[in-house]
Amino acid sequence: MNDAVVAPTIEYGTLAPMLLVFGAAVVGVLVEAFAPRYMRKSIHVPLTLLSLAGAFALVIVQVVKGAVPTAPVAMGAVAVDGPSLFIWGVILVLSFVCVLMINDEGHFVASAAAVPGSADEEEAEAAGGSHTEVYPLVLFAVGGMLLFPASHDLLTMFVGLEVMSLPLYLLCGLARRRRLLSQEASMKYFLLGAFSSAFFLYGTAMIYGFAGTVSFTGINKALSTGSLLDPILLLGLSLLGVGLLFKIGAAPFQAWKPDVYQGAPTPITALMASGTLVAAVGALLRVFWVALGNLDWDWRPVMWAVAALTMVVGAILAITQTDIKRMLAYSSIAHAGFLLIGVMATFDKSAQNAKSLSAIMFYLLVYSITTVGAFAVVTMVRDPGGEAGHLSRWAGLGKRSPILAGIFAFFLLAFAGIPLTSGFFGKYAVFAAALASGSEAGDSLGGWMTGLVVLGVVASAIAAFFYVRVIVLMFFSDPAADGPSIAVPSMGTVAVIAISLLITVGVGLFPQPMLDLANQAASGLFIR
Amino acid sequence: MESPAEIVQHTAGGMIGASWLMIAFPLLGAAILLILGRMTNRWGHLLGVAMSLASFVVAVLTFLEIIGLPAEQRRQAVHLYEFIPGMVDMGLLIDPLSISFALLITGVGSLIHIYSIGYMSHDPERRRFFSYLNLFVAAMLLLVLADNYVGLFIGWEGVGLASYLLIGFWQFKPSAAVAAKKAFIVNRVGDFGLLVGMFIILATFHTLTFSELGKQIAEHPPSGGAVTAIGLLLLLGACGKSAQLPLQSWLLDAMEGPTPVSALIHAATMVTAGVYLVVRSGAFFFPPDSTQAIAVSVVGAATLLAGAIIGCAKDDIKKGLAGSTMSQIGYMMLGAGLGPAGYAFAIGHLITHGFFKADLFLGAGSVMHGMNDEVNMRKYGGLRKHMPITFATFFIGYLAIIGFPLLSGYFTKDGIIETAVHHQPILGWLAVLGAGITGFYMSRMVFMTFFGEKRWEKDAHPHESPAVMTWPLMILSIGALFLGGYLILSNRLYFFLSPAVGTAEATPEFDFASTAGLVTLALVAVGAGFAWVRYGRAEVPAVAPRGSFLTTFARRDLYGDALNESLFMRPGQWLTRFAVYFDNRGIDGLVNGLAAGIGGTSGRLRRIQTGFARSYALSILFGAALLAGALLLVGNI
């Protein structure tokens, strides 16, 4: 070790998308500090949207220039490779869309510190407005989402994880309606998130103990020389896995998801269900592939069990849900299971890798955009007390508002993976990749992969049941007499629904361009 | 004998590269009209016509480009995009066969679009009508242009849907709604055959793309049960769509739709899709003289007789024409079953039939338009003076369909008959007989409608239709006059199609003085004369006489419906009742049990979700312990 402190070299150009988002977040904090209250929102909205759009443009520029670095940048801390750029692009689009939804009045509380139901609350309510801190918080979270899947050592990844999570814990507690539920969700998410972060950190420490480094390249190297059966390594691996699987909501670490999704303000739920999931799957892939690629025989059976359990738990528990957001939360758990099938498929050392990687990225893209659209529809169906969460309130919606119900039905069909929706191609790609990697590996492993895919198909069938049940409820039941009203949508919400619908339909009819994009992004694989 | 030319992948742009526009235009039109809805009421019909015409222009330009290529390069596959990754790429096959269909569909289709402006002018839902017509054109073009069976099938279902929507266009009439359902359900039987056929193709050849199939079959000529099965299943599909025995019953009822629909979909284009399917698959699955090819011809011959007999007894002018459509498609199927020797005549007859039958249907529509939508020919009579243009064009169509020498139908139908007499004498002579009957029932129709005494209802004021309706009639009748001769003489169509469908052992010669041809002419003359005696010279009673058992037989559509009812419907109903019983007792028990089981599991599992953060944390801890334990265990095995 050299004692002198060397100034790190940072490739600002390559990291520009992430830096822009963080920079805008910092500016946002300054706005909160110095701009007068009435002006804040009108500064925040363009700042946030422009920075996200700008970051997206910077990603595009890097892709078009084709100047994707072949080695980790920022002193080996961040890997900006094809998959990173693809995931960045997806996250930026998703967060842009979510911010459009966040702009809508009425999602966020006027004063989060006021006790629910107190005079303070009424006063703040009467004064109007809502917390504009939401915008910088979202930007920080998005910045964390960008760093999380692109980090190239465990510590940077931990920082990314926390930068992503901390603002989200806060944001979850800011719902304007049903505030106690929201605060409860926030608290639970924080406690459990902190708990799982501790697992991640402990795992990091153990792996450091084994490899003597936290860099993925270093871990990979240590694995190729050291003993693969070292208990420290295996313990570290499992603890690290817990931290990551918690974030994507895989069973048995899924318990937080329904409570948090239900309590959080719906635009934030949309951001978590899409952006966080994409980032976490990206990070999971990177850790297990880049750092632990030489170890796949050890964690494969465990991952198999986790994937199977996740799909089954998600699909079965969704059936008895009566709240639309909780149902979508369980559906998201089931989809996390489908994604894990894809993750399983990427880890055999064969030519299948790029194909499987592209399948999973494609799935992430189509699933998350449909999710955002579905939550946007949820924000529009309202009772006097806020969003009409209970499923019975959705009865007969198809008769009162056929277009909205039709769009929602379409999203549900996409979740179910019905052909001519993007969801079909997503599922098809992932299942096909899993089967192909299984048959390439041959013998017993092939059988196991086939079994997992069969289980996935069965889980999809169970899931289709509760999706279709909502459609039946909307179109074939009589509307309730005092049924929910449909909010007149703002431009933002219309844009969100339109974009999601367009992508869901467009990719369902013409999957090729998106598949090409995912293939191209995956062709270089992760850099090691 | 030569096989079809190899399909080349199209790389250069040009019109062929842009040929997808042909489908895109009408599809866009349908989408705009359906999505914007009432906003487009004022100009919707014009957009519909413009889209159809645009598609026609693209078809013509593509055709010209094809003509400019050397014969062996006239089969161009245009790749569009990967449809089902690793299995089906969506692409178009532009070759002489598909472009002939495209020209017919867009050409006749455009004329019928124009005609419909006038015909539907009083209908408040005219815009919706045009959106369906556009949808039909797009689907039909996809059917004939797709370079694989999946695309073909999508188009096939698309035209089925458009047909359903248009037959039931006046859904306030219960008869129209029922007819639409009937068409849809009967077609389901055929579609099922096509679908199963496709599955067997996929299982046997591992591809559904025409070019791949062509290559594989050129290398290993197919044989055995699988190919026979595929052929017969495709024939079942063709029978459904083309109203061939035994799936013919829907076509007569389909006349409930507006007349332009009957002309476009149920005469000129959609019902010929079965012929297209057989000819397109001919080189793969219908080798000449194979079981399945002979089955095609037999079905065709049987239907051509059945249709003609039904046509004799109908007083409803449209149903009479529908019977005749069945019959004429029977001729095409007969030709299509004869292999490359018959293809040119079958397709030629298909094209000329497209013209003269559309002409006849639109003429019938024009008559109905002037007669308060009366369809009963017993209430027409003497209309030729009141509707001179309609009469003249209808008469040309009539002469063409009975095969009057030198008109279109003469060349193409005689071609089929002669080839059939040569290859399958029995079927050929049945076709000669059918031609005689055609002479009778078509003459009957003309005499009852345009000649004789007035037998109108009191409030009828027959008048000639507006120019927007008569012009399409005139253009179609020009096709009915000359097109057949142009296509058949010096084998123009035969040589044009040969890269796509292959050639016969001997190049067919059209013989003006063949025995079969002369006998046909004589029989047609006898039929027409008999009709003159019965319906031209004699009084036509206003109420149909009871007639002999033969007449009743024909009036009841040869008991096709009764047959369907006793053979399929009643046993079907019993089967349904049994299935419902079994379903309730057996399967429902199982399914409900399963659902209840899953639901119960769900309900029980749900209790784990206590809402307490502490128990969640505990579950995470247990999960982590399990994970770590399992990893250590697995690692140490």
Side-chain angles (χ1 to χ4, degrees):
Chain A
M1 275 277 164
N2 197 340
D3 286 331
V5 176
V6 183
T9 49
I10 308 278
E11 287 80 348
Y12 289 101
T14 317
L15 295 174
M18 196 159 65
L19 295 178
L20 177 63
V21 172
F22 279 129
V26 172
V27 175
V29 172
L30 293 176
V31 171
E32 278 300 319
F34 296 110
R37 185 174 281 276
Y38 66 91
M39 277 177 60
R40 285 181 200 164
K41 188 165 179 181
S42 41
I43 301 175
H44 276 309
V45 174
L47 175 69
T48 311
L49 288 176
L50 282 178
S51 62
L52 291 174
F56 183 70
L58 287 171
V59 171
I60 298 291
V61 167
Q62 287 203 32
V63 173
V64 172
K65 274 204 321 210
V68 178
T70 50
V73 294
M75 309 289 283
V78 181
V80 185
D81 44 18
S84 283
L85 286 172
F86 185 87
I87 288 174
W88 281 8
V90 173
I91 290 176
L92 288 166
V93 169
L94 293 170
S95 51
F96 184 88
V97 172
C98 286
V99 169
L100 289 179
M101 229 193 302
I102 287 169
N103 285 340
D104 257 11
E105 296 296 331
H107 289 307
F108 293 96
V109 67
S111 166
V115 177
S118 68
D120 286 351
E121 191 187 24
E122 271 175 36
E123 199 177 306
E125 192 96 350
S130 58
H131 274 292
T132 46
E133 289 88 345
V134 168
Y135 294 96
L137 286 173
V138 166
L139 280 178
F140 277 121
V142 171
M145 287 175 199
L146 298 182
L147 181 58
F148 189 34
S151 41
H152 196 69
D153 67 49
L154 286 171
L155 279 182
T156 313
M157 184 166 272
F158 181 70
V159 172
L161 173 67
E162 289 305 309
V163 171
M164 168 179 91
S165 302
L166 285 170
L168 287 176
Y169 299 150
L170 259 178
L171 287 165
C172 282
L174 296 183
R176 190 181 200 96
R177 312 282 178 182
R178 301 213 273 178
R179 287 193 52 206
L180 284 173
L181 198 67
S182 170
Q183 292 183 350
E184 186 188 328
S186 168
M187 195 67 199
K188 276 182 189 164
Y189 193 23
F190 170 64
L191 287 174
L192 296 173
F195 194 46
S196 76
S197 294
F199 277 101
F200 185 92
L201 208 52
Y202 203 177
T204 306
M206 296 235 178
I207 291 196
Y208 181 77
F210 169 80
T213 172
V214 288
S215 143
F216 289 168
T217 319
I219 296 169
N220 191 37
K221 211 172 282 168
L223 280 175
S224 58
T225 54
S227 155
L228 298 186
L229 296 179
D230 195 333
I232 289 195
L233 171 68
L234 294 176
L235 268 180
L237 168 62
S238 55
L239 297 182
L240 210 56
V242 172
L244 291 166
L245 290 173
F246 173 86
K247 277 293 158 202
I248 69 168
F253 316 107
Q254 88 296 357
W256 60 277
K257 234 181 185 177
D259 292 13
V260 174
Y261 277 20
Q262 186 189 12
T266 307
I268 299 302
T269 311
L271 184 65
M272 287 192 293
S274 56
T276 308
L277 185 75
V278 174
V281 173
L284 186 77
L285 279 169
R286 190 175 292 279
V287 170
F288 278 72
W289 190 341
V290 179
L292 308 170
N294 286 327
L295 205 56
D296 61 344
W297 281 102
D298 293 295
W299 53 257
R300 211 174 247 283
V302 179
M303 189 67 97
W304 192 97
V306 170
L309 188 66
T310 307
M311 291 186 295
V312 171
V313 164
I316 289 189
L317 274 170
I319 290 178
T320 40
Q321 298 308 317
T322 50
D323 185 279
I324 189 88
K325 280 164 82 180
R326 284 184 86 84
M327 194 205 85
L328 287 175
Y330 279 105
S331 127
S332 148
I333 294 170
H335 280 277
F338 300 142
L339 280 163
L340 285 179
I341 296 184
V343 172
M344 291 277 296
T346 49
F347 293 110
D348 81 319
K349 297 170 190 121
S350 71
Q352 270 299 319
N353 269 336
K355 204 171 165 192
S356 311
L357 186 57
S358 106
I360 195 166
M361 291 201 297
F362 180 77
Y363 193 111
L364 280 174
L365 167 75
V366 297
Y367 169 70
S368 54
I369 199 79
T370 310
T371 303
V372 173
F375 278 112
V377 174
V378 170
T379 65
M380 283 177 60
V381 182
R382 290 186 188 169
D383 265 348
E387 286 158 13
H390 201 277
L391 268 177
S392 64
R393 309 286 297 158
W394 286 60
L397 192 71
K399 296 194 173 109
R400 298 154 52 97
S401 180
I403 294 181
L404 193 71
I407 292 173
F408 194 64
F410 190 79
F411 287 146
L412 290 175
L413 291 178
F415 283 143
I418 305 295
L420 294 186
T421 64
S422 59
F424 168 73
F425 288 105
K427 272 206 182 109
Y428 178 88
V430 165
F431 288 176
L435 285 179
S437 84
S439 69
E440 195 143 317
D443 342 326
S444 62
L445 181 63
W448 282 99
M449 285 307 281
T450 311
L452 194 60
V453 170
V454 169
L455 201 63
V457 173
V458 172
S460 306
I462 299 178
F465 168 74
F466 61 78
Y467 295 129
V468 173
R469 201 182 52 166
V470 176
I471 298 176
V472 170
L473 192 69
M474 288 194 300
F475 287 95
F476 300 100
S477 305
D478 287 323
D482 57 340
S485 58
I486 304 303
V488 178
S490 69
M491 284 304 290
T493 308
V494 171
V496 175
I497 295 178
I499 293 171
S500 313
L501 188 66
L502 206 69
I503 295 181
T504 308
V505 176
V507 175
L509 294 178
F510 305 100
Q512 197 54 53
M514 282 296 176
L515 280 170
D516 286 344
L517 202 64
N519 282 337
Q520 197 199 340
S523 62
L525 301 180
F526 289 112
I527 48 181
R528 286 192 197 251
Chain B
M1 251 180 84
E2 266 180 54
S3 315
E6 199 169 314
I7 297 171
V8 265
Q9 198 62 41
H10 182 77
T11 43
M15 256 351 268
I16 295 176
S19 52
W20 55 273
L21 283 173
M22 245 187 277
I23 302 173
F25 277 124
L27 195 62
L28 180 72
I32 291 177
L33 294 181
L34 284 175
I35 291 172
L36 295 186
R38 273 179 232 118
M39 284 159 66
T40 58
N41 267 357
R42 291 223 336 265
W43 43 269
H45 53 286
L46 297 178
L47 181 80
V49 172
M51 287 302 168
S52 180
L53 279 174
S55 186
F56 177 59
V57 171
V58 177
V60 170
L61 293 175
T62 312
F63 173 69
L64 292 178
E65 200 168 297
I66 285 277
I67 293 280
L69 293 170
E72 68 276 7
Q73 286 181 20
R74 284 188 185 167
R75 307 192 80 190
Q76 302 262 347
V78 184
H79 180 258
L80 294 182
Y81 58 88
E82 198 178 337
F83 183 53
I84 301 175
M87 200 156 79
V88 181
D89 284 5
M90 189 48 79
L92 302 183
L93 171 60
I94 307 294
D95 73 353
L97 181 63
S98 64
I99 200 69
S100 307
F101 268 85
L103 283 174
L104 176 73
I105 295 160
T106 54
V108 175
S110 296
L111 288 175
I112 292 174
H113 271 76
I114 294 169
Y115 175 94
S116 304
I117 296 179
Y119 190 83
M120 299 297 284
S121 58
H122 303 305
D123 197 300
E125 294 279 354
R126 179 164 69 168
R127 183 255 326 154
R128 192 160 59 91
F129 181 79
F130 274 89
S131 65
Y132 294 162
L133 274 191
N134 265 342
L135 177 68
F136 168 76
V137 171
M140 187 72 204
L141 285 169
L142 177 62
L143 195 168
V144 297
L145 291 174
D147 76 340
N148 59 76
Y149 280 102
V150 176
L152 181 148
F153 186 73
I154 295 174
W156 187 274
E157 292 299 320
V159 292
L161 170 69
S163 157
Y164 167 78
L165 291 170
L166 285 165
I167 296 172
F169 185 74
W170 288 317
Q171 76 251 68
F172 49 82
K173 288 199 296 188
S175 57
V178 171
K181 264 191 236 164
K182 185 171 177 186
F184 204 79
I185 291 167
V186 175
N187 266 297
R188 218 93 301 274
V189 180
D191 296 355
F192 186 72
L194 174 57
L195 202 56
V196 175
M198 280 165 55
F199 288 145
I200 301 182
I201 295 173
L202 191 62
T204 317
F205 299 98
H206 308 290
T207 181
L208 287 167
T209 312
F210 298 143
S211 54
E212 280 296 312
L213 276 173
K215 269 180 218 152
Q216 290 198 22
I217 284 166
E219 279 167 28
H220 320 281
S223 58
V227 175
T228 310
I230 294 169
L232 292 176
L233 286 164
L234 295 185
L235 174 62
L236 182 62
C239 284
K241 195 61 78 194
S242 292
Q244 299 293 291
L245 290 175
L247 297 176
Q248 84 293 0
S249 61
W250 63 274
L251 184 63
L252 292 158
D253 293 7
M255 297 300 124
E256 288 291 341
T259 308
V261 172
S262 311
L264 177 61
I265 301 185
H266 305 120
T269 56
M270 184 189 83
V271 286
T272 60
V275 182
Y276 171 77
L277 181 67
V278 170
V279 174
R280 175 58 84 201
S281 315
F284 311 147
F285 309 123
F286 294 98
D289 298 323
S290 60
T291 318
Q292 57 270 35
I294 293 171
V296 171
S297 290
V298 169
V299 164
T303 311
L304 80 86
L305 280 177
I309 293 171
I310 290 173
C312 293
K314 291 291 170 190
D315 290 333
D316 179 327
I317 186 168
K318 283 179 70 182
K319 294 209 167 166
L321 285 172
S324 123
T325 303
M326 258 175 76
S327 170
Q328 299 302 314
I329 298 172
Y331 277 102
M332 298 170 210
M333 291 297 256
L334 171 61
L338 300 175
Y343 288 156
F345 293 121
I347 299 297
H349 195 53
L350 194 155
I351 294 171
T352 54
H353 174 258
F355 276 85
F356 62 70
K357 186 50 72 61
D359 179 27
L360 289 169
F361 259 115
L362 295 185
S366 176
V367 170
M368 287 161 58
H369 197 68
M371 294 288 285
N372 298 339
D373 288 328
E374 179 60 65
V375 289
N376 189 347
M377 291 189 290
R378 292 186 187 277
K379 295 184 176 163
Y380 291 166
L383 286 174
R384 70 175 182 281
K385 294 191 197 94
H386 301 272
M387 304 179 161
I389 303 178
T390 305
F391 167 68
T393 53
F394 196 94
F395 201 75
I396 292 171
Y398 154 72
L399 290 178
I401 196 173
I402 64 169
F404 193 80
L406 304 183
L407 265 65
S408 281
Y410 169 71
F411 289 102
T412 52
K413 199 201 294 184
D414 249 32
I416 293 176
I417 290 176
E418 278 170 36
T419 321
V421 167
H422 186 155
H423 287 85
Q424 302 278 356
I426 303 175
L427 300 178
W429 288 108
L430 286 177
V432 172
L433 179 64
I437 307 178
T438 308
F440 170 72
Y441 73 78
M442 283 310 298
S443 311
R444 170 179 179 269
M445 189 178 287
V446 169
F447 294 143
M448 279 175 89
T449 305
F450 293 104
F451 291 84
E453 293 300 313
K454 302 177 192 175
R455 300 179 302 275
W456 311 339
E457 293 281 358
K458 287 198 186 70
D459 54 350
H461 303 287
H463 55 84
E464 187 53 274
S465 297
V468 73
M469 289 169 70
T470 50
W471 272 98
L473 283 176
M474 291 188 261
I475 297 173
L476 286 170
S477 60
I478 292 172
L481 278 174
F482 304 116
L483 197 57
Y486 179 78
L487 293 176
I488 299 301
L489 290 178
S490 49
N491 279 325
R492 283 194 186 87
L493 185 66
Y494 177 81
F495 289 124
F496 178 63
L497 286 179
S498 59
V501 298
T503 55
E505 275 165 32
T507 306
E509 286 280 340
F510 188 83
D511 184 359
F512 283 95
S514 68
T515 329
L518 294 177
V519 174
T520 306
L521 281 181
L523 278 181
V524 168
V526 170
F530 186 53
W532 172 248
V533 173
R534 291 285 307 275
Y535 299 98
R537 209 180 52 186
E539 190 89 350
V540 178
V543 179
R546 272 197 60 206
S548 65
F549 78 96
L550 242 173
T551 323
T552 324
F553 184 52
R555 270 191 203 136
R556 306 284 294 272
D557 306 341
L558 312 184
Y559 293 109
D561 279 343
L563 198 73
N564 278 349
E565 270 169 31
S566 52
L567 265 187
F568 301 111
M569 204 172 100
R570 292 222 188 85
Q573 283 171 337
W574 292 329
L575 193 68
T576 334
R577 265 182 229 133
F578 171 72
V580 167
Y581 174 81
F582 181 69
D583 191 49
N584 282 339
R585 295 297 165 90
I587 297 182
D588 270 15
L590 190 70
V591 172
N592 289 342
L594 199 66
I598 293 177
T601 315
S602 179
R604 248 161 274 141
L605 276 178
R606 219 179 132 181
R607 288 193 209 129
I608 301 172
Q609 194 78 12
T610 52
F612 293 122
R614 55 175 187 263
S615 42
Y616 295 173
L618 203 61
S619 75
I620 293 178
L621 186 65
F622 278 135
L626 269 177
L627 223 64
L631 263 176
L632 287 174
L633 204 66
V634 172
N636 287 318
I637 288 171

